[in-house]
Amino acid sequence: MAKKPYQPPVQSKGGQIFDSFFILALVYAALLTPLLLGLGASNGATKHQTAPTWESLHQNTTMAQQWEKLGYTPKTAAPIIEQQFDYSINYGYLLLTIVVIGGYFFFMLKASRKEYLEVIDEKFGDDSH
Amino acid sequence: MTDATTASAPPQPQRLQLLRVLGPVHVWALGVGIVLVGEFMGWNFSVAKGGAMGSLIACWVIGLLYTCVAMIDSEVTSTVAAAGGQYAQAKHIVGPLMAFNVGMYLVMAYTMLEAADALVVGDLLHQVAGQFGYAMLDPKPFVVLTIAVLAWLNYRGIFATLSINFVITAVAFLTIVVLFFALKPWDPTAALHHKELLTGLPYGWIGVIAAFQFGIWYYLGIEGTCQAAEEVRSVGRSLPLGTMTGMITLLIAASLTWYVASGLVPWQYLGQASVPLFDTARLTGSRFLEVFLFVGTLFSAVASANGTITDAARAWFSMSRDRYMPQWFGAVHPRFRTPFRAVVFLVPVAVSFAFTGLLDQVITFSILSGLLGYTFMSFNMIKFRKQWPLGSIKRAYTHPFHPVPAITLMALCITTYFATYLGYGSQLLAMMGFYIVASLWFHFHRYKYVRRADQFTMPWPRPRLSR
């Protein structure tokens, strides 16, 4: 026999507005703020040359020609060419990332299962006895 | 009746349904329209992370990830054909909190993609204005205009919106093909310089792995075809046909794009360009190709933004209809039969992120939300087969070699998280922080407004669950 259906409370208009703004605020606080504070991509250090040439920037003749067709000189191209990613691994930071992602999925699957069993029991009847 | 889902009136009034007007062509246009912009911008950030060759390897490996996604999604979608796509799947197979998260993945992936598209429109116009001596042109009004006009089209109706998408997507795809043939690929040294421009792997193999992050961008969003399942006339025929032809289109477009761009543009420039195919056309010296690729880039960005508004609004609408989000957003427009409130609500989010001008980082948020969704698909497939073994329910399609695609997908997702950690680790943590707080909010607060059994709507037998 199916369980007595759960009757959810009715949410007020004010509650709906608050929930909508909560999600908006969360998007802005968690995602937009780090971008605006420059905490997004972590490129490595840039080596600056005072008087770069295509040779010192390790650009062959064809590369230099293409840069020039795009409107660049060695001086204006240097900041782009010298920008490098730093792939050295910070193991503490990596471990933190693994724990956060793993913890997120662990909690979500655990809580989802609890909620799912309620759904199934109400839909098909309690099967636990 | 104006609002089918107001909160205060049990028993519920009759729901207005979305119109079933879409055919395979619209499904193709929705899928390719969203993704094709990935050939015009964004994929090239994988060149910055691993060099041009690294980007090509990433394109192939991530192609394998999407093959797994397509195999898994075809089986589950052919069985759970409802608006919301993967969201509806999660509700029936894993549980409400997972479904809430999947809904949010879809909304965030598409809204960030919409922001990136609008940003590219602004950047493109700014760049072209600069070439004509108007370097001070502010891209922001064009960002707002793009999003506002497309949101208005979506507000008015999906049929006209996706019909327009079909035309502009087809033109955008044609520009890639024309560029490819104009560069005489049958004579690789005539106009292209792969021998001189390809530099091996500048960061070694770790750079190749790092490039997986933006390799996702070649294909991200193709799974969005199943978002409109409730509005497709013949789901069993149109969805697989539209999705498969879309995937073939993208594979061709990705290969052509990499080939022409890496043969003309130095890899360091390519790795940071906001409109790489337009830049490639500039390097051909042909004014016709330059104008044509300007049109292609513009059209692809507009088509993509158009499709993402459609998909994000439908995911938000589905969640609101189930009370996962405030019910007010679950209303269908009485005249246009569109989820009009959901369309409008997401506009400021897209505009805000587009205004940052940080294309690679806005794209990264979209990629991460997509990646979380693919991770879900891997264990969702295992659970689906376990809870409803073959023969227990009707499946229009059954994918072969189970569980190999699910395990491969999970392994590739884990590798791509690591790829994102390399260079974009703080954004990865910010995104996870967002989903963790949102999950706690849903589980401990929002879920109390949700009817339990109403979430399970498929005519299936009780799932096999171990307690």
Side-chain angles (χ1 to χ4, degrees):
Chain A
M1 201 177 99
K3 277 175 80 172
K4 190 182 170 197
Y6 167 76
Q7 281 300 328
V10 173
Q11 192 177 26
S12 66
K13 280 211 166 68
Q16 293 194 45
I17 292 168
F18 179 83
D19 278 1
S20 308
F21 279 100
F22 175 81
I23 286 292
L24 264 188
L26 186 58
V27 169
Y28 285 120
L31 304 181
L32 188 63
T33 307
L35 296 196
L36 297 177
L37 295 176
L39 303 173
S42 53
N43 291 1
T46 305
K47 295 171 281 178
H48 290 292
Q49 297 182 32
T50 48
T53 62
W54 292 124
E55 290 74 26
S56 71
L57 293 169
H58 307 291
Q59 301 295 297
N60 61 35
T61 311
T62 308
M63 291 170 178
Q65 282 171 354
Q66 301 303 79
W67 278 106
E68 284 164 6
K69 280 187 197 170
L70 288 163
Y72 284 83
T73 63
K75 197 173 165 59
T76 55
I80 297 172
I81 294 170
E82 292 174 332
Q83 187 74 47
Q84 300 243 316
F85 277 100
D86 177 7
Y87 291 146
S88 55
I89 294 171
N90 177 332
Y91 287 98
Y93 196 59
L94 180 61
L95 186 67
L96 173 71
T97 307
I98 293 168
V99 168
V100 167
I101 297 174
Y104 163 74
F105 276 110
F106 179 79
F107 167 73
M108 188 170 53
L109 287 173
K110 197 97 178 151
S112 281
R113 182 171 172 80
K114 186 168 170 274
E115 294 167 350
Y116 188 63
L117 289 174
E118 283 176 18
V119 171
I120 296 303
D121 286 346
E122 192 176 304
K123 176 82 182 176
F124 297 98
D126 194 345
D127 192 37
S128 61
H129 304 296
Chain B
M1 187 174 71
T2 55
D3 185 341
T5 54
T6 44
S8 57
Q12 285 187 304
Q14 190 187 1
R15 279 177 174 174
L16 281 178
Q17 297 296 312
L18 301 170
L19 283 178
R20 284 191 179 277
V21 290
L22 307 179
V25 164
H26 298 102
V27 174
W28 177 88
L30 180 61
V32 178
I34 289 172
V35 189
L36 193 65
V37 73
E39 323 302 335
F40 287 86
M41 63 91 169
W43 68 272
N44 54 303
F45 295 129
S46 64
V47 176
K49 290 194 87 179
M53 292 304 292
S55 172
L56 182 63
I57 297 168
C59 172
W60 291 337
V61 176
I62 297 300
L64 177 63
L65 182 151
Y66 276 88
T67 305
C68 297
V69 165
M71 288 171 81
I72 289 170
D73 219 27
S74 295
E75 177 168 332
V76 188
T77 305
S78 73
T79 322
V80 192
Q86 291 81 13
Y87 160 73
Q89 299 170 15
K91 257 194 317 182
H92 287 87
I93 300 165
V94 183
L97 180 60
M98 184 77 246
F100 167 76
N101 275 270
V102 170
M104 289 303 292
Y105 301 157
L106 294 167
V107 170
M108 295 310 294
Y110 291 129
T111 305
M112 293 297 161
L113 175 48
E114 177 192 342
D117 293 331
L119 201 159
V120 163
V121 170
D123 271 4
L124 179 67
L125 295 173
H126 175 77
Q127 189 168 322
V128 171
Q131 286 175 239
F132 287 94
Y134 299 98
M136 300 302 286
L137 182 83
D138 186 358
K140 288 192 173 78
F142 298 100
V143 167
V144 176
L145 190 67
T146 303
I147 293 175
V149 169
L150 295 176
W152 178 75
L153 277 176
N154 272 274
Y155 186 104
R156 299 271 303 183
I158 189 172
F159 185 75
T161 304
L162 292 187
S163 297
I164 291 168
N165 244 34
F166 172 69
V167 176
I168 57 180
T169 300
V171 172
F173 181 65
L174 185 66
T175 64
I176 297 178
V177 176
V178 168
L179 177 64
F180 178 73
F181 283 108
L183 293 173
K184 301 178 185 164
W186 54 87
D187 183 5
T189 54
L192 297 164
H193 311 287
H194 287 103
K195 198 175 165 192
E196 294 82 7
L197 294 178
L198 289 179
T199 54
L201 301 175
Y203 296 104
W205 284 97
I206 198 163
V208 175
I209 291 172
F212 285 11
Q213 175 193 351
F214 290 108
I216 294 271
W217 203 245
Y218 280 108
Y219 315 97
L220 184 101
I222 186 65
E223 71 282 3
T225 49
C226 63
Q227 290 303 303
E230 208 171 298
E231 291 156 276
V232 173
R233 283 194 300 267
S234 171
V235 178
R237 176 177 167 271
S238 298
L239 267 185
L241 188 59
T243 307
M244 282 189 291
T245 50
M247 197 63 205
I248 292 165
T249 309
L250 292 174
L251 282 167
I252 293 169
S255 309
L256 302 186
T257 299
W258 182 89
Y259 187 74
V260 294
S262 64
L264 276 176
V265 188
W267 76 271
Q268 290 102 330
Y269 181 87
L270 191 57
Q272 54 80 56
S274 56
V275 283
L277 269 187
F278 175 66
D279 288 327
T280 305
R282 282 170 63 201
L283 285 172
T284 63
S286 159
R287 182 63 79 180
F288 165 75
L289 286 176
E290 198 175 329
V291 172
F292 207 40
L293 266 293
F294 167 80
V295 171
T297 304
L298 192 65
F299 276 20
S300 70
V302 169
S304 172
N306 199 9
T308 53
I309 293 172
T310 302
D311 278 353
R314 268 146 192 80
W316 192 265
F317 163 79
S318 298
M319 286 202 290
S320 307
R321 204 168 53 169
D322 293 332
R323 304 184 180 197
Y324 284 22
M325 284 294 173
Q327 277 181 281
W328 188 77
F329 295 109
V332 176
H333 195 285
R335 184 169 155 215
F336 302 124
R337 307 278 287 274
T338 54
F340 65 115
R341 289 175 183 163
V343 168
V344 174
F345 182 71
L346 296 169
V347 165
V349 177
V351 171
S352 306
F353 280 85
F355 271 16
T356 65
L358 302 167
L359 184 59
D360 62 328
Q361 296 175 44
V362 172
I363 283 175
T364 296
F365 280 141
S366 184
I367 286 171
L368 283 172
S369 291
L371 188 60
L372 287 162
Y374 306 142
T375 311
F376 147 76
M377 281 183 193
S378 62
F379 57 78
N380 184 53
M381 187 63 227
I382 305 268
K383 282 173 104 58
F384 185 49
R385 284 281 183 102
K386 201 173 160 197
Q387 290 170 195
W388 291 279
L390 294 182
S392 62
I393 54 173
K394 191 183 170 197
R395 290 164 159 90
Y397 170 78
T398 305
H399 82 249
F401 310 122
H402 176 77
V404 175
I407 293 168
T408 307
L409 178 58
M410 177 61 90
L412 287 170
C413 285
I414 291 169
T415 311
T416 311
Y417 286 120
F418 179 63
T420 311
Y421 163 83
L422 297 170
Y424 292 81
S426 51
Q427 266 197 276
L428 175 57
L429 280 181
M431 193 94 237
M432 296 315 300
F434 169 77
Y435 284 116
I436 288 169
V437 176
S439 296
L440 294 171
W441 172 80
F442 178 82
H443 183 67
F444 292 108
H445 164 68
R446 186 71 220 168
Y447 189 56
K448 66 174 175 278
Y449 298 110
V450 179
R451 293 180 191 282
R452 303 313 196 230
D454 285 8
Q455 298 170 82
F456 199 105
T457 53
M458 294 305 295
W460 295 348
R462 185 188 189 99
R464 295 183 190 180
L465 295 166
S466 54
R467 288 178 187 261

